[in-house]
Amino acid sequence: MCDKFRQAVGSRPYIDTKTPAVRIHAYLTAEEYQFYVDTSGAALYQRGNRGASIEAPLRENLAAGIFEVDGLASRAAILDPMCGSGTFLLEAAMLALDIAPGLKRSFGFEKLRTFESDTWKKIKKQAWLKSRKPHFKKYTARTLICAQCE
């Protein structure tokens, strides 16, 4: 692939192997090959809500999926007595407040040459405007109760 770049532009591109601007995945078999451009970047379960990635027994997307299946986050009080890093309650709060997942993270497609920054800014702004502000009241149908957070 780098040789193709060299033929096209006259030099081999510099690639930071730890954090490349664009990731390209190759799948090879004896008969064929396929290339995929990774438009996500970091794993999609990494929502961008935490300063540092931590080991948790429950990934954010799985926690959100559990709530989505039942609609629980929007209609019931939730108690998590052993919440650890708070993943379950954080996702419940985001669902209840209609905060789109990934609003605080960047994506791989943002680094592509064809990326339309103005369009993406409008989409994110619409998502932020759709979200609701939290209301802090004493025990309502959407109360989230946490015990033993780390």
Side-chain angles (χ1 to χ4, degrees):
M1 184 167 286
C2 288
D3 291 339
K4 290 287 185 184
F5 275 102
R6 184 182 298 139
Q7 290 173 350
V9 297
S11 66
R12 184 181 171 138
Y14 167 75
I15 299 169
D16 181 345
T17 57
K18 293 188 187 218
T19 55
V22 177
R23 293 176 196 247
I24 300 172
H25 299 276
Y27 295 93
L28 308 170
T29 67
E31 294 83 31
E32 66 180 10
Y33 61 90
Q34 296 175 341
F35 290 109
Y36 295 91
V37 175
D38 181 354
T39 56
S40 298
L44 291 176
Y45 74 85
Q46 296 174 337
R47 311 289 193 141
N49 298 320
R50 301 178 192 272
S53 185
I54 58 171
E55 281 294 319
L58 183 67
R59 290 189 171 171
E60 289 88 340
N61 56 344
L62 179 57
I66 290 168
F67 288 120
E68 281 292 328
V69 168
D70 190 24
L72 191 61
S74 62
R75 63 177 170 76
I78 298 169
L79 168 64
D80 189 355
M82 297 175 286
C83 68
S85 63
T87 301
F88 210 58
L89 294 178
L90 180 60
E91 288 299 319
M94 290 181 66
L95 283 167
L97 297 173
D98 209 5
I99 298 172
L103 271 181
K104 295 182 177 182
R105 63 165 277 165
S106 61
F107 292 90
F109 64 80
E110 295 177 60
K111 297 176 182 176
L112 298 176
R113 188 176 290 173
T114 56
F115 173 62
E116 296 179 14
S117 177
D118 291 338
T119 302
W120 183 238
K121 286 177 186 174
K122 288 177 190 174
I123 291 169
K124 285 182 81 169
K125 183 177 180 180
Q126 288 172 349
W128 276 116
L129 291 173
K130 186 180 172 188
S131 66
R132 295 184 291 277
K133 303 288 182 228
H135 297 282
F136 298 99
K137 297 179 182 176
K138 196 168 192 167
Y139 305 114
T140 67
R142 292 185 176 176
T143 298
L144 304 176
I145 304 169
C146 166
Q148 193 185 353
C149 278
E150 293 176 358

